[in-house]
Amino acid sequence: MTGVSCRGVTARYNGATVLSGVDLAVRPGEWLVVVGPNGAGKTTLLRALAGVIPAGGDIVLGDQKLNQMRRREVAARVAVVPQTPVVPDGVTVFDYVMLGRTPYIPYWGMEGPADRQRVTTVLERLDLLSFAGRTVSSLSGGERQRAVLARALAQDASILLLDEPTTALDLGHQQQVLELVDGLRREAGLVVISTLHDLTFAAQFGDRVLLLVAGEVIAEGRPGQVLRAEVVSEHFGATVEVIERPDGPVVLPVRTRG
Ligand SMILES: Nc1ncnc2c1ncn2[C@@H]1O[C@H](COP(=O)(O)OP(=O)(O)OP(=O)(O)O)[C@@H](O)[C@H]1O
Ligand SMILES: [Mg+2]
């Protein structure tokens, strides 16, 4: 089981710096939620951690440096749920989720009964079994988002990177998916790093919250330390009331009248 740590991570697009000097460390079983306004660099940070874009600085997955790992090694260790997933045309939900098993299937080989069983179990846990034979492109937005999550879970990676995994889901499914991830990280000691725009969910599910603004870490710590009303006002331009509860703060948007 591996943790994730990085120091001084930088990323640029066309010469413009999007991440500058990001440090973080997440232990097995821990959930770090990255929050920040649109364009802050959250997706870029997850892409850097997954090794899909070039980044400066040091990223270490377990005891290995990311830039010294092969693509297949990274795939067996890191599962990603992208913010805007590209789903192939004409592929059934079952076959799509089976793609998550790719790191375990030998080159030129076929999936085995254990892979099919794993896919079935994951589909069941995400209420997707009845959609198994449908094409992914025929699913509703929320059903599709669950299929993408199912593919990531079928990968059995020890590091889960989730980019806004609940945006298309109804409230019940948002809670179901977050509870499922929460259970998995506790049972299996997964490292979970997610972005979440819903600051109440960020506070309730994150062990720690990292606030990223314009590519820099502004604050990092327990949800109640980071998600204070004045901090949310300053960095999100939002008026909120933060209500302390035993299971974490609730960040309640309140209407301002001019
Ligand atoms: N491929 C790209 N080429 C050029 N600029 C990019 C590219 N991808 C992202 N950017 C820019 O980098 C910055 C950070 O983008 P990123 O997607 O990481 O933000 P984010 O925090 O995930 O925002 P959101 O909350 O809207 O998802 C933005 O200004 C964005 O326009
Ligand atoms: Mg994003």
Side-chain angles (χ1 to χ4, degrees):
M1 211 45 70
T2 63
V4 172
S5 63
C6 61
R7 282 178 73 85
V9 173
T10 58
R12 289 183 183 81
Y13 292 117
N14 310 321
T17 299
V18 174
L19 288 180
S20 37
V22 174
D23 298 342
L24 59 81
V26 190
R27 292 188 303 272
E30 215 177 11
W31 188 336
L32 176 75
V33 182
V34 180
V35 300
N38 292 140
K42 303 179 299 294
T43 295
T44 306
L45 176 60
L46 294 194
R47 285 191 180 141
L49 294 176
V52 295
I53 56 162
D58 285 327
I59 298 175
V60 180
L61 307 180
D63 49 4
Q64 267 182 298
K65 285 194 172 185
L66 177 63
N67 59 12
Q68 291 170 357
M69 293 167 75
R70 291 169 206 240
R71 200 59 237 145
R72 211 172 152 84
E73 284 175 321
V74 177
R77 199 168 276 190
V78 182
V80 183
V81 173
Q83 186 168 12
T84 37
V86 180
V87 293
D89 264 346
V91 173
T92 66
V93 171
F94 191 91
D95 289 344
Y96 177 70
V97 176
M98 186 60 82
L99 291 174
R101 302 301 300 166
T102 309
Y104 305 99
I105 298 169
Y107 284 120
W108 314 115
M110 290 281 290
E111 77 259 11
D115 298 306
R116 283 193 288 277
Q117 183 52 54
R118 185 74 190 112
V119 168
T120 304
T121 305
V122 170
L123 289 174
E124 214 164 13
R125 287 189 83 169
L126 284 165
D127 285 346
L128 285 170
L129 211 46
S130 59
F131 299 102
R134 289 256 303 269
T135 59
V136 181
S137 49
S138 76
L139 299 180
S140 78
E143 291 158 0
R144 192 179 304 192
Q145 196 164 27
R146 266 148 53 215
V148 175
L149 184 71
R151 174 188 155 157
L153 296 183
Q155 209 174 317
D156 282 332
S158 57
I159 300 163
L160 262 185
L161 304 179
L162 310 172
D163 198 358
E164 305 296 344
T166 55
T167 40
L169 305 184
D170 65 56
L171 195 54
H173 280 114
Q174 290 185 32
Q175 281 181 332
Q176 182 197 2
V177 158
L178 294 171
E179 297 285 357
L180 175 65
V181 171
D182 193 49
L184 286 170
R185 58 115 176 192
R186 286 173 200 283
E187 281 162 34
L190 304 185
V191 167
V192 181
I193 304 177
S194 72
T195 66
L196 284 176
H197 275 305
D198 186 312
L199 300 180
T200 296
F201 279 145
Q204 295 194 336
F205 286 90
D207 295 306
R208 285 182 296 126
V209 172
L210 183 149
L211 172 60
L212 195 68
V213 178
E216 288 184 33
V217 179
I218 297 292
E220 203 267 358
R222 296 241 158 248
Q225 294 171 319
V226 175
L227 296 170
R228 290 178 287 114
E230 63 274 20
V231 173
V232 176
S233 163
E234 182 182 349
H235 296 291
F236 293 83
T239 309
V240 298
E241 197 178 313
V242 178
I243 302 163
E244 289 296 336
R245 282 177 50 95
D247 46 358
V250 169
V251 181
L252 188 69
V254 288
R255 183 171 174 193
T256 49
R257 290 173 191 273

